[in-house]
Amino acid sequence: MLETATTVKAKINGTAVEVPAGTSILDAARMAGVRIPTLCSDPDLLPTAACGLCIVKIAGSNKQPRACATALADGMDVITHDGDLTRVRRTVLELILSTHPNSCLTCGRNGSCELQTLLGEFGVPEDRLEKRICDVPSDRSNGSITIDFSKCINCGRCVQVCQQVQNVWALSSLNRGIHTRVAPAGDILLAQSPCIKCGQCAAHCPTGAIVEHDETSAVWDALRDPDLFVSAQIAPAVRVALGEEFGYPPGTNLTGQIHAALRRVGFDAVFETPVTADLTIMEEATEFMKRFTEGSGPLPIITSCCPAWTDYMEKNHQDFIENFSTAKSPQQMLGVLAKTYYSEKKGIDPAKHFQVSIMPCTAKKYELERTDEMFASGYQDVDITLTTREVARLIKQSGLVFQDMPDEDADSLLGHYSGAGTIFGTTGGVMEAALRTAHFMVTGENLAKDALEILPVRGMKGVKEAEIDIAGTKVRVAIAHGMGNVDALLEKVRDARARGESLYDMIEVMACPGGCLGGGGQPYNISENIRVKRMEGLYQDDRDRELRFAHENPAIKELYRDFLGEPMGPKAHELLHTTYTARKKYKR
Amino acid sequence: MNADGELEKLVEWVEGVRKRVHEIAGEWEDEEGSLIMILHAIQDEIGYIPRGVANELAKATGISLARIYEVITFYTYFRLTPPGNHEIHVCMGTACYLRGAESIQARLLQQIDLMKAAGGPKDDFQVDCVRCIGCCGLSPAVVMDGKTYGRLNPEDSPEILKQKPGV
Amino acid sequence: MDKQPLTTRELDSYTQEGSVSTRWIRVGMDTGGIAAGAQEVYDTLIEARDASGLDIDIQQTGSVGLSYADPVVLVGGDDVPTLVLGDMDAESARELFAGYFRDGRLLDDRVIATKNRGTGFDDTHQAVILVKDTGDGDSHHRTTIFRNLILEELEARGLEQKVAVYRALDMGLYHRGVCVQMLPSRVTYASVTGTDVRRLVDESLRHGMVLEDLLVPGGDPQERISMRNCGTIDPSELESYLRAGGYQGLKRALVEMSPEQVIEELKTSGLRGRGGAGYPTWLKWKNTRGQESDRRIVICNADEGDPGAFMDRSILEGDPHSVLEGMLIAAYAIGADTGFFYIRVEYPLAVKRVQKAIRQCREAGLLGENILGTGFSFEAKVRFGAGAFVCGEETALIASIEGRRGSPEPRPPYPSIKGLWGKPTSINNVETLATVSAILEHDGSWYAGFGTEESRGTKVFAVTGKVRNPQLVEVPMGTPIRTIIEDICGGAGHGSPIKAVQTGGPSGGVIPVDKMDTPVTYEALLELGSIMGSGGMLVMDESDSMVDVAKFYLGFCVEESCGKCAPCRIGGFQMLSLLKKIHAGDGMVADLDTLRDICVCMQTASLCGLGQTAPNPVLSTLKYFEHEYLDLVTTPETVTPSGKGRKNA
Ligand SMILES: Cc1cc2nc3c(=O)[nH]c(=O)nc-3n(C[C@H](O)[C@H](O)[C@H](O)COP(=O)(O)O)c2cc1C
Ligand code: SF4
Ligand code: SF4
Ligand code: SF4
Ligand code: SF4
Ligand code: SF4
Ligand code: SF4
Ligand code: SF4
Ligand code: SF4
Ligand code: FES
Ligand code: FES
Ligand code: FES
């Protein structure tokens, strides 16, 4: 069909609207200020058309199409709400409720649940129907996310995210009819499945069926323990998203308020993960330079600070293990430094130092015990990871009025970060930060102020490619985000390798769409729109910093001078690097 | 516990199955729309689709285990567990239902229980309801091990159990 | 085999050749026939022929549709009348051989009288008289007595050597007292009494006079188009089909017509899809053809999952080439290069016959490159279903072939725009394609001559349930339901009067007996709250509970729901538990309201046809037989603390 018109004109509840051709009735209605109830629709996903709530009437037609899956057509006269539709929608909700436990009060989604909200709005009648609740026991096997099958409404969003967006295929819909249920691949435990713990399923689930493995109470236990020195680290992507839990617009940078809140919650020290992001850059850029100029290892070098990605690679792309940067992720670097460098300086017994990381990420919970190297301090380097959502809960539980928090600085030793460190939280950020430093390492000069923002690596395109000129040498880079975009990229590299060619010198991969700012532990109701706002927040943070280069961070310089020695030197190697091994995709 | 010989046999069987799975997958490699046909071919040979076979198939075809399980569990024809020795399909299509298929099924089950209680043959009969086997004119109908028995009444339905040699 | 591809000239030569043998026997070997013992009958016949040394051609064939009489055998030849025999077994097969082809002797209780009755005599002294008492009760006994009466009369006239008298298996007449059919003239009398026997022999037999007062005029209301070859050709032989005019329609399309003209011809014919929805076939093809694409696909939907329908199976088993030819014509019309038969795996014989037909066509050059030398190329493949009714739905079927769960997807886009692997795809039902080949063999206006203005042509119905002679019936659209149920199938057959007819299977509704004069057309059935569907017709009598029937159909939909969308997945389940509760006598009046709420919800908010139509059996039984529900729930009510009306314990 040739699309001659680029917009369509139609009516929604009598109001004329004009929207781009191809816009769904659902989105068109939203633009016209009308909210049609939905449960299975998700702005990140193709319509599954499963719940049936969004049906609307079209004048002159006896069909009731699904607004989420039907494009608005020219001249359509849509009715989105009337008595008939409300009756049907209420019955749909009543039916869903008949297969759902009434356990809101103890549910991870209480207050943020799409189903609960609609049940509240529609006043579903008292139980006329038999309850039939799925009795498959919850799957808590993987420590990052928990699936409570009884709360699953089979909307299919998690399955679609895991299969189509992330291309992991850890989740599936099994059986059919009333017996339909979501289950890990092959009906095994999640921990035995190919799951990479990215948490995208949790981020897209409308209910409390998939939530992060909640560890707030363990953190409370630590905070209550008078013998423990409890420190926190805050990842870059958290600062521009946490506000959403407290009514701020997405992308609002609340770094200072978060510091203040965490201190009041009871943390003894508050660190900044971007500091060790700077450190990661120092290590990674050095590693890259060695491979690039001395051929000390294979190219392209591939970034490894996303644990979901390393897990994916270890299961699916084992031929690239050698290409991985051995530098640990910022989280792990901060953990080990907290328990060595910081504890030493402050005279804290590292055995009594309890390190909590605050991450946009569910996979980070898995990273804590990923390999023996995560215990480089002699203790578990990071004790607990809380996601952005959990920390919001922690703050609420503390009775703090977040909006009233003052701006405070982070801890002076591990709290000063550069703009390079903060953009780690967005896709392309690691690459950009690394290139800024690599340029310096090669040329001895910093990129000019107007050239240091490396635009080709920015943006939300699934795979980005760029050639950066460093003193006459071209560095070819590629960036992929969203796990589903990686296979094709690596396939290209493989093909080239088979021909004896090399396509790229450096590849950055982040498992989540948009990178960490779109992480599986971030506040709900994620969409491209919101990701872009969070991204802008991070780039603004970068611009707002005096420091824009990792290698210029005085804290980092001090760290090398006083403690680590040389980048990639023996001590750095012992504390800051890790290894990878091939893993089985299915463990049963 | 397996005696050594039995273990060897088992290993050999598993190896054979593994080989066949790859062969079958190979036969369909260049064909469009093959997964369900491959599963049919496998089930025809083994009688069901054990987990290990599904795993092997995932390797042979590059189709994820999640997809394979999604498909196996969706279609009632595919089985994850071995079938009984004798498969009895009681037709519960419209015509058969109206003509008393439910009581035929009940009688069959009753008879099988009686036979078991009487220490009867070890042959396990597996009774499943199926939808219209396509001979409504013969309703009510039952298929045992591929042979159709039509125009049954509850009284003579147990007779078909005796059609099995050795019963 | 290195056969040369067929040319159009060779194709024609088949239709001109005479039959190979002058005498023949055909054994109905479809699933139903085989289940009833047709294989044994066939083997016995072969054995008997070989022993007898007679030159008789014995052929396997499909089903003529007379399920109630399985196994069915047809006999005929140049010098003997063609007869349909039912309820055969090995013994009667042997007898048939010993008798019929030697001295014309027949079998008692085997012959099915034809409905194409004669109105006059070419010769007197008819060779055979068939007789049957068509009343209720012990009609067999009364038939025997009556036959003896005739025999006595014949003897008295010295005709006993010339005329044989047999009890018929079925007269095609019901509740008409004693009926008599004379062969070969096929003159048929009904309501014959003892006092008529003398006239019968004297006037009719000896002097060739027609007894006008007893005469039943001819005319089978049936019209066989889709099933034209079922039960008459050998479905496993391409030649058999070619001799019956097979692939003439394809030839006509390829040689004489442009694809657009073929679509135009279909438009003239008025053919609407026979798979259920009744969408005009020509329009579906036009939409598919109109879609820009490097490749188009045609699918034959042979998933026939509707419990109680078996016409598609019968056609595939009895005349697979007619469907394949229809597919080739469809492919030519829409410009497809590949076709898929999506066949229920529960139909192994149909699968075998289709696969064989495909092989034969490949060898004969009717599939592959450059078919009939016209430059048209096409490949056909078979894919199996795996036990999922919902895979009859178009988008689910596509998902299934693609190797996914058979879950429907929202339409639009329709498969004709975006189908298998995203390519424009036309999905056509078995019966539709079998009809297409007939239409092209004749022409569009010929087909349009059958049926009504809105619903043209003929339709096959599978009549089952509490009817005397369950069978496949093919009638012109517009034939009253009563004609089908009573005149063709013999009406009530299980001792109690007919209460209702359910059409359209699990998506359909019940039609109470007082509305049985409704003509079968898409529109008329819809108006009654039922549908044509694929053509299932389930007859229910007074002993059947409508609540039970609704429960049955709903149970089917619940089991077959793909589970994707909440209204169908949960709605069906909840309705079923309410129906179970009501049926068990534990229901409340308020439950009927809940039922209605869920019905509306499922109809409106289900994603696909399965869920949208699943409430139909409930709604239509509620509409016509609400009292049966109320009888089960309206015991005195009290008000419980929760405020619900409650049945007293
Ligand atoms: C749940 C469901 C089951 C169906 N089953 C069949 C079937 O078994 N056979 C069939 O031909 N059509 C079936 N249909 C109708 C098909 O989707 C489709 O309309 C038809 O195959 C188109 O062919 P036609 O235009 O020749 O009728 C079914 C539809 C639904 C919604
Ligand atoms: S998932 Fe939602 S509706 Fe269900 S218990 Fe949790 S909060 Fe309540
Ligand atoms: S909403 Fe209702 S159920 Fe929930 S806490 Fe409040 S009163 Fe209790
Ligand atoms: S965490 Fe990621 S990989 Fe694991 S099931 Fe969820 S979406 Fe799939
Ligand atoms: S787990 Fe959540 S996202 Fe997945 S199907 Fe269930 S309700 Fe939907
Ligand atoms: S990579 Fe992501 S999770 Fe790790 S420190 Fe950076 S922002 Fe946080
Ligand atoms: S992209 Fe960031 S948030 Fe997502 S899994 Fe990786 S580290 Fe975690
Ligand atoms: S349709 Fe019925 S009568 Fe005809 S051969 Fe088949 S089973 Fe027999
Ligand atoms: S209506 Fe039923 S069969 Fe159709 S998509 Fe929904 S759940 Fe599946
Ligand atoms: S939101 Fe459209 S069907 Fe669920
Ligand atoms: S019904 Fe069991 S997982 Fe939802
Ligand atoms: S209903 Fe039993 S064979 Fe069709």
Side-chain angles (χ1 to χ4, degrees):
Chain A
M1 257 185 300
L2 261 177
E3 221 59 91
T4 39
T6 47
T7 64
V8 293
K9 289 184 184 144
K11 268 197 232 161
I12 290 177
N13 300 333
T15 310
V17 292
E18 184 170 354
V19 296
T23 307
S24 69
I25 296 177
L26 183 68
D27 291 342
R30 197 67 205 81
M31 292 174 199
V34 176
R35 191 174 62 87
I36 299 170
T38 61
L39 274 175
C40 66
S41 166
D42 187 308
D44 277 350
L45 306 174
L46 296 171
T48 63
C51 72
L53 272 178
C54 68
I55 47 153
V56 293
K57 287 183 180 172
I58 312 281
S61 153
N62 58 359
K63 295 207 172 111
Q64 275 103 334
R66 282 161 152 70
C68 65
T70 312
L72 191 71
D74 238 343
M76 254 186 193
D77 185 354
V78 184
I79 297 141
T80 64
H81 289 75
D82 71 4
D84 296 340
L85 291 170
T86 303
R87 176 187 178 198
V88 169
R89 287 173 184 153
R90 188 185 292 122
T91 312
V92 172
L93 288 168
E94 186 184 3
L95 290 170
I96 292 174
L97 183 62
S98 77
T99 59
H100 198 87
N102 298 358
S103 37
C104 298
L105 295 180
T106 53
C107 180
R109 285 301 288 270
N110 192 8
S112 67
C113 170
E114 296 179 28
L115 175 62
Q116 187 189 43
T117 308
L118 288 174
L119 286 170
E121 287 173 7
F122 274 81
V124 172
E126 61 176 306
D127 297 349
R128 298 192 290 178
L129 304 173
E130 178 191 326
K131 272 274 190 204
R132 183 196 183 279
I133 294 166
C134 174
D135 58 5
V136 174
S138 296
D139 187 334
R140 301 172 187 282
S141 63
N142 90 353
S144 288
I145 56 164
T146 296
I147 313 187
D148 180 342
F149 300 103
S150 72
K151 289 178 188 152
C152 172
I153 61 167
N154 282 304
C155 69
R157 284 155 75 167
C158 58
V159 177
Q160 203 189 342
V161 153
C162 190
Q163 296 185 353
Q164 308 301 329
V165 178
Q166 298 299 73
N167 195 26
V168 174
W169 297 80
L171 292 179
S172 55
S173 285
L174 295 189
N175 303 331
R176 71 175 192 215
I178 192 74
H179 305 292
T180 307
R181 63 184 166 93
V182 164
D187 214 7
I188 46 187
L189 286 175
L190 204 53
Q192 301 164 333
S193 81
C195 173
I196 58 169
K197 283 79 81 173
C198 66
Q200 286 301 315
C201 49
H204 289 84
C205 178
T207 72
I210 306 187
V211 293
E212 65 284 344
H213 183 66
D214 188 309
E215 283 163 306
T216 43
S217 59
V219 171
W220 278 125
D221 289 346
L223 289 168
R224 252 199 340 258
D225 187 335
D227 293 339
L228 289 183
F229 180 87
V230 187
S231 64
Q233 59 166 314
I234 312 151
V238 174
R239 67 205 63 232
V240 288
L242 181 71
E244 292 162 37
E245 295 273 358
F246 298 97
Y248 291 88
T252 315
N253 186 344
L254 295 162
T255 310
Q257 273 166 270
I258 297 172
H259 296 153
L262 290 177
R263 288 217 175 83
R264 281 158 183 73
V265 165
F267 286 96
D268 299 307
V270 180
F271 307 137
E272 277 291 359
T273 316
V275 174
T276 41
D278 285 340
L279 190 60
T280 301
I281 287 307
M282 293 305 291
E283 294 295 318
E284 216 167 272
T286 309
E287 200 181 0
F288 169 66
M289 291 313 300
K290 283 194 168 166
R291 293 195 196 180
F292 191 70
T293 55
E294 300 163 22
S296 68
L299 290 173
I301 190 168
I302 302 178
T303 64
S304 61
C305 57
C306 167
W309 157 232
T310 59
D311 193 26
Y312 187 79
M313 181 276 297
E314 289 179 329
K315 286 169 177 164
N316 299 287
H317 296 291
Q318 300 162 348
D319 52 333
F320 280 101
I321 286 183
E322 292 291 301
N323 294 71
F324 258 48
S325 161
T326 58
K328 283 183 183 173
S329 74
Q331 161 176 280
Q332 292 307 129
M333 286 196 184
L334 202 130
V336 74
L337 292 180
K339 293 202 178 173
T340 54
Y341 172 67
Y342 185 87
S343 296
E344 236 173 80
K345 285 223 161 183
K346 300 278 170 161
I348 302 162
D349 174 3
K352 298 259 151 74
H353 189 158
F354 194 86
Q355 225 295 300
V356 178
S357 69
I358 295 164
M359 296 281 139
C361 178
T362 48
K364 290 282 167 190
K365 291 177 186 272
Y366 148 82
E367 191 182 24
L368 302 185
E369 299 174 61
R370 199 183 72 84
T371 60
D372 287 349
E373 290 108 11
M374 306 300 132
F375 298 79
S377 64
Y379 307 90
Q380 183 174 322
D381 296 337
V382 179
D383 293 281
I384 280 184
T385 297
L386 294 184
T387 60
T388 312
R389 295 190 297 263
E390 286 167 273
V391 90
R393 242 172 275 146
L394 197 73
I395 292 171
K396 287 172 187 167
Q397 286 159 13
S398 314
L400 297 174
V401 180
F402 187 75
Q403 291 80 344
D404 294 349
M405 290 298 118
D407 274 350
E408 286 183 8
D409 281 340
D411 191 275
S412 57
L413 263 187
L414 293 172
H416 292 306
Y417 60 94
S418 79
T422 204
I423 58 174
F424 254 57
T426 173
T427 167
V430 180
M431 183 63 75
E432 185 170 344
L435 289 171
R436 287 183 195 171
T437 292
H439 186 275
F440 176 81
M441 287 182 174
V442 174
T443 63
E445 280 171 33
N446 278 336
L447 284 161
K449 209 166 165 77
D450 58 352
L452 66 80
E453 296 189 2
I454 306 174
L455 299 180
V457 304
R458 295 189 175 190
M460 286 299 180
K461 213 171 133 231
V463 176
K464 295 168 277 188
E465 290 174 313
E467 269 190 3
I468 313 299
D469 187 285
I470 298 184
T473 311
K474 294 243 180 294
V475 178
R476 297 154 307 162
V477 304
I479 295 129
H481 59 114
M483 209 74 268
N485 289 316
V486 171
D487 284 4
L489 178 65
L490 291 190
E491 209 44 56
K492 249 172 80 179
V493 174
R494 245 183 226 120
D495 284 351
R497 198 158 63 184
R499 292 193 308 268
E501 293 167 25
S502 109
L503 282 182
Y504 307 109
D505 303 310
M506 192 168 181
I507 296 178
E508 177 204 298
V509 178
M510 287 288 166
C512 298
C516 298
L517 54 82
Q522 295 277 61
Y524 292 115
N525 301 320
I526 184 72
S527 68
E528 188 76 349
N529 218 345
I530 290 177
R531 280 191 291 267
V532 168
K533 294 215 175 96
R534 291 177 186 164
M535 180 181 73
E536 283 162 1
L538 284 176
Y539 283 130
Q540 190 58 47
D541 194 27
D542 174 30
R543 274 192 293 276
D544 291 347
R545 305 255 134 207
E546 281 159 44
L547 282 169
R548 308 289 296 272
F549 301 95
H551 54 270
E552 289 195 338
N553 186 344
I556 296 293
K557 287 182 181 163
E558 190 183 326
L559 193 58
Y560 277 115
R561 195 188 60 225
D562 293 359
F563 186 68
L564 288 169
E566 285 283 302
M568 291 199 73
K571 182 127 188 196
H573 193 85
E574 183 196 331
L575 296 182
L576 307 182
H577 287 259
T578 180
T579 54
Y580 308 96
T581 42
R583 283 177 219 269
K584 273 176 92 167
K585 189 162 168 183
Y586 306 109
K587 299 213 190 80
R588 252 189 77 186
Chain B
M1 258 183 226
N2 276 301
D4 266 1
E6 268 178 55
L7 189 66
E8 256 165 44
K9 252 192 243 158
L10 190 71
V11 169
E12 207 173 288
W13 182 81
V14 168
E15 204 34 54
V17 168
R18 212 184 63 82
K19 214 172 122 235
R20 275 303 289 149
V21 167
H22 284 266
E23 277 167 20
I24 292 170
E27 283 161 24
W28 282 92
E29 201 178 337
D30 300 324
E31 274 286 333
E32 332 175 88
S34 56
L35 177 58
I36 290 182
M37 300 306 276
I38 292 174
L39 292 173
H40 274 299
I42 291 175
Q43 182 159 304
D44 280 352
E45 288 199 18
I46 315 178
Y48 69 114
I49 305 167
R51 177 185 298 284
V53 166
N55 246 324
E56 207 56 46
L57 186 61
K59 272 190 222 152
T61 58
I63 300 171
S64 81
L65 185 66
R67 164 61 49 83
I68 293 173
Y69 257 65
E70 282 191 333
V71 166
I72 296 175
T73 58
F74 183 86
Y75 296 96
T76 53
Y77 195 80
F78 297 131
R79 275 186 300 254
L80 287 163
T81 49
N85 281 342
H86 298 298
E87 286 179 72
I88 301 180
H89 294 168
V90 181
C91 179
M92 280 289 167
T94 332
C96 294
Y97 181 81
L98 267 198
R99 289 189 171 185
E102 271 185 329
S103 44
I104 285 171
Q105 186 198 13
R107 274 290 279 146
L108 279 172
L109 290 173
Q110 191 190 9
Q111 188 63 25
I112 289 167
D113 283 347
L114 280 177
M115 281 162 52
K116 273 194 198 135
K122 283 204 202 59
D123 285 346
D124 53 329
F125 291 92
Q126 179 174 321
V127 181
D128 291 320
C129 288
V130 295
R131 296 299 178 173
C132 191
I133 51 175
C135 18
C136 309
L138 290 180
S139 58
V142 164
V143 182
M144 179 159 83
D145 296 338
K147 188 163 160 31
T148 311
Y149 303 83
R151 301 195 185 110
L152 294 169
N153 62 47
E155 285 64 48
D156 59 32
S157 55
E159 286 298 310
I160 70 166
L161 298 177
K162 301 193 185 129
Q163 307 272 326
K164 247 15 255 181
V167 176
Chain C
M1 264 194 244
D2 45 41
K3 282 196 185 168
Q4 290 299 308
L6 274 179
T7 63
T8 52
R9 169 117 36 91
E10 282 162 1
L11 197 64
D12 293 343
S13 68
Y14 281 99
T15 56
Q16 284 133 27
E17 266 173 41
S19 171
V20 223
S21 178
T22 50
R23 285 167 169 198
W24 49 261
I25 303 180
R26 291 173 188 141
V27 186
M29 307 258 297
D30 67 321
T31 304
I34 291 170
Q39 187 69 49
E40 201 187 3
V41 171
Y42 179 77
D43 294 345
T44 313
L45 286 169
I46 297 275
E47 214 174 274
R49 177 195 56 194
D50 294 350
S52 75
L54 289 175
D55 175 28
I56 289 168
D57 182 40
I58 302 178
Q59 230 183 43
Q60 304 194 9
T61 168
S63 160
V64 283
L66 305 172
S67 317
Y68 67 97
D70 275 333
V72 171
V73 166
L74 271 74
V75 294
D78 291 352
D79 53 345
V80 287
T82 300
L83 293 173
V84 184
L85 306 171
D87 267 355
M88 294 294 287
D89 54 22
E91 198 188 323
S92 41
R94 268 188 295 272
E95 262 181 65
L96 176 71
F97 230 90
Y100 190 61
F101 290 110
R102 282 194 199 285
D103 50 23
R105 207 154 24 91
L106 270 179
L107 304 168
D108 260 334
D109 300 318
R110 293 290 182 272
V111 184
I112 298 170
T114 173
K115 286 184 175 128
N116 285 315
R117 303 178 190 103
T119 47
F121 300 100
D122 289 341
D123 56 355
T124 52
H125 307 310
Q126 300 282 309
V128 178
I129 293 178
L130 297 170
V131 54
K132 181 169 171 74
D133 181 286
T134 63
D136 295 324
D138 189 0
S139 72
H140 185 264
H141 181 62
R142 290 199 305 269
T143 306
T144 311
I145 295 176
F146 206 87
R147 179 183 60 177
N148 293 342
L149 270 183
I150 300 178
L151 281 173
E152 278 169 28
E153 198 65 34
L154 287 172
E155 250 171 70
R157 304 271 184 308
L159 285 172
E160 74 272 16
Q161 293 303 321
K162 290 209 169 123
V163 183
V165 185
Y166 299 98
R167 290 191 307 255
L169 173 63
D170 180 42
M171 271 299 193
L173 291 168
Y174 310 97
H175 307 284
R176 299 287 297 270
V178 174
C179 297
V180 170
Q181 185 170 74
M182 287 182 267
L183 296 176
S185 71
R186 308 183 320 271
V187 165
T188 310
Y189 298 129
S191 312
V192 185
T193 61
T195 54
D196 297 322
V197 172
R198 197 194 47 78
R199 289 163 65 210
L200 188 85
V201 173
D202 236 22
E203 299 175 16
S204 257
L205 262 179
R206 291 180 64 194
H207 297 106
M209 285 159 62
V210 175
L211 307 178
E212 296 292 344
D213 54 327
L214 301 179
L215 184 74
V216 184
D220 187 346
Q222 298 205 52
E223 203 61 66
R224 301 251 161 158
I225 295 176
S226 318
M227 290 181 53
R228 58 195 177 282
N229 296 322
C230 289
T232 62
I233 66 161
D234 182 345
S236 57
E237 289 304 331
L238 172 60
E239 288 181 12
S240 187
Y241 181 63
L242 292 178
R243 270 198 293 275
Y247 291 103
Q248 290 292 332
L250 175 69
K251 189 195 82 177
R252 192 170 148 242
L254 293 186
V255 175
E256 297 171 22
M257 302 165 85
S258 68
E260 288 77 12
Q261 284 171 319
V262 175
I263 293 176
E264 203 51 38
E265 186 93 5
L266 260 293
K267 186 177 180 184
T268 310
S269 78
L271 177 65
R272 293 167 64 172
R274 298 295 188 235
Y279 191 76
T281 304
W282 72 271
L283 195 53
K284 190 184 284 188
W285 289 6
K286 185 165 177 262
N287 295 342
T288 316
R289 180 169 188 82
Q291 197 58 26
E292 213 44 66
S293 178
D294 58 340
R295 172 172 195 208
R296 296 187 199 86
I297 294 168
V298 53
I299 295 176
C300 171
N301 188 344
D303 192 42
E304 190 169 62
D306 177 346
F310 51 103
M311 59 284 289
D312 291 351
R313 171 181 66 79
S314 290
I315 293 174
L316 290 174
E317 292 180 354
D319 194 13
H321 279 289
S322 69
V323 187
L324 186 49
E325 184 182 353
M327 178 186 269
L328 276 153
I329 293 166
Y332 175 69
I334 66 175
D337 61 12
T338 315
F340 289 92
F341 281 90
Y342 184 81
I343 313 184
R344 268 187 100 182
V345 72
E346 293 90 338
Y347 283 177
L349 189 58
V351 167
K352 223 172 84 187
R353 298 239 161 109
V354 171
Q355 281 173 331
K356 189 158 186 191
I358 290 176
R359 266 201 310 279
Q360 289 165 343
C361 281
R362 251 180 227 143
E363 281 166 11
L366 287 165
L367 280 174
E369 302 286 318
N370 194 16
I371 293 165
L372 290 174
T374 60
F376 171 63
S377 302
F378 182 72
E379 255 318 322
K381 300 172 179 192
V382 171
R383 292 293 179 270
F384 300 159
F389 169 69
V390 69
C391 286
E393 197 278 340
E394 302 192 342
T395 57
L397 191 159
I398 287 170
S400 183
I401 296 185
E402 289 177 356
R404 296 185 278 123
R405 292 161 67 77
S407 279
E409 260 145 49
R411 299 179 307 172
Y414 288 92
S416 51
I417 308 295
K418 215 165 160 257
L420 198 59
W421 298 298
K423 305 294 173 193
T425 303
S426 173
I427 301 175
N428 301 91
N429 163 261
V430 170
E431 192 185 329
T432 311
L433 290 179
T435 311
V436 163
S437 47
I439 291 173
L440 266 286
E441 188 188 337
H442 297 81
D443 64 49
S445 46
W446 161 80
Y447 188 75
F450 299 95
T452 68
E453 187 68 25
E454 291 292 317
S455 301
R456 300 214 181 259
T458 59
K459 173 81 192 87
V460 182
F461 292 95
V463 187
T464 61
K466 301 294 183 61
V467 67
R468 183 191 297 240
N469 292 336
Q471 59 188 292
L472 283 183
V473 168
E474 183 171 355
V475 290
M477 295 272 193
T479 305
I481 299 175
R482 190 180 299 283
T483 306
I484 297 172
I485 303 295
E486 295 192 340
D487 297 349
I488 302 178
C489 298
H494 291 256
S496 98
I498 291 176
K499 174 152 84 178
V501 178
Q502 144 85 12
T503 71
S507 324
V510 295
I511 295 170
V513 69
D514 58 348
K515 299 215 160 39
M516 275 214 331
D517 289 317
T518 309
V520 284
T521 62
Y522 289 103
E523 300 72 29
L525 291 179
L526 208 57
E527 203 161 297
L528 291 182
S530 185
I531 59 163
M532 178 90 70
S534 54
M537 258 191 199
L538 180 75
V539 179
M540 289 158 294
D541 64 21
E542 289 294 345
S543 69
D544 295 317
S545 150
M546 289 295 137
V547 181
D548 188 37
V549 167
K551 180 168 76 91
F552 169 79
Y553 278 115
L554 200 68
F556 176 82
C557 290
V558 168
E559 256 178 53
E560 296 299 333
S561 160
C562 84
K564 178 176 182 171
C565 70
C568 166
R569 177 182 71 239
I570 314 171
F573 168 81
Q574 291 293 3
M575 278 222 274
L576 185 62
S577 31
L578 284 168
L579 283 179
K580 281 182 183 161
K581 198 170 106 182
I582 294 169
H583 192 242
D586 298 328
M588 308 174 287
V589 177
D591 288 339
L592 298 189
D593 291 337
T594 314
L595 268 185
R596 287 192 170 97
D597 277 348
I598 303 178
C599 282
V600 172
C601 172
M602 280 180 79
Q603 283 183 319
T604 334
S606 292
L607 176 60
C608 84
L610 191 151
Q612 286 161 3
T613 58
N616 289 358
V618 178
L619 282 174
S620 76
T621 47
L622 269 173
K623 177 170 167 191
Y624 295 116
F625 299 95
E626 190 181 15
H627 59 274
E628 292 196 21
Y629 286 84
L630 288 173
D631 284 350
L632 288 167
V633 298
T634 41
T635 18
E637 299 211 10
T638 58
V639 173
T640 63
S642 71
K644 285 177 190 167
R646 240 207 176 294
K647 193 185 131 180
N648 258 347

